[in-house]
Amino acid sequence: MSALPRIGIRRLPHAEGLDLPAYQSAGAAGADIRAAVHEPLVLAPLARALVPTGLVMDIPEGWEVQVRPRSGLAARHGVTVLNSPGTVDSDYRGEVMAILVNFGSEPFTVARGERIAQIVVAPVSQALFQAVDEVSASERGAGGFGSTGR
């Protein structure tokens, strides 16, 4: 297995005292991130909010950090990450935030330090895009949006 990428993390003042991202089990792919809110944030049903983590990440070139939902919040409360997965690019140096949405039927309160999402570190490939007159044929062709069946 190759060396693990090192992600430098700077805590902003409003994240003081909160845990850094952490894996909750030995086989976990995602590390939980926490809400760096000063006051509880109530998400009404169908409401969304940009929830701060108070973390700035120094991600090595060739890697990204994906912000993903926590399955427990989704299953129990209907709360998920709206733009899942959200991408934190290697050259971004602002605060990592999670766009949470409440698809549940009851208000959901986000408390300070609550685990609100998980992050997955993944390698990135970039491509060279070029205009062409034709693309190659394939068995599927232009079929999409359910064309391969249910």
Side-chain angles (χ1 to χ4, degrees):
M1 178 171 239
S2 62
L4 299 175
R6 293 195 179 271
I7 310 278
I9 296 188
R10 182 171 68 93
R11 274 192 191 101
L12 297 174
H14 57 282
E16 193 64 39
L18 298 179
D19 291 341
L20 291 178
Y23 298 101
Q24 300 301 308
S25 70
D32 289 343
I33 55 176
R34 298 176 180 272
V37 294
H38 288 296
E39 302 293 326
L41 171 68
V42 178
L43 275 176
L46 300 180
R48 64 183 178 271
L50 198 56
V51 181
T53 67
L55 305 176
V56 175
M57 297 184 181
D58 191 349
I59 302 165
E61 188 174 332
W63 295 87
E64 69 166 324
V65 167
Q66 299 173 357
V67 180
R68 299 181 181 190
R70 293 193 61 237
S71 59
L73 287 180
R76 287 193 287 280
H77 305 285
V79 174
T80 190
V81 175
L82 191 57
N83 65 323
S84 181
T87 294
V88 183
D89 296 306
S90 66
D91 58 352
Y92 176 67
R93 293 298 181 272
E95 180 177 7
V96 174
M97 310 274 260
I99 305 170
L100 296 186
V101 63
N102 181 2
F103 287 129
S105 58
E106 301 293 326
F108 179 79
T109 301
V110 178
R112 178 173 178 77
E114 182 162 3
R115 294 180 294 158
I116 55 167
Q118 60 182 321
I119 56 173
V120 172
V121 179
V124 170
S125 296
Q126 289 188 334
L128 174 62
F129 300 98
Q130 62 186 92
V132 296
D133 292 328
E134 304 225 4
V135 295
S136 63
S138 73
E139 186 176 322
R140 180 176 178 182
F145 298 103
S147 67
T148 61
R150 187 170 173 176

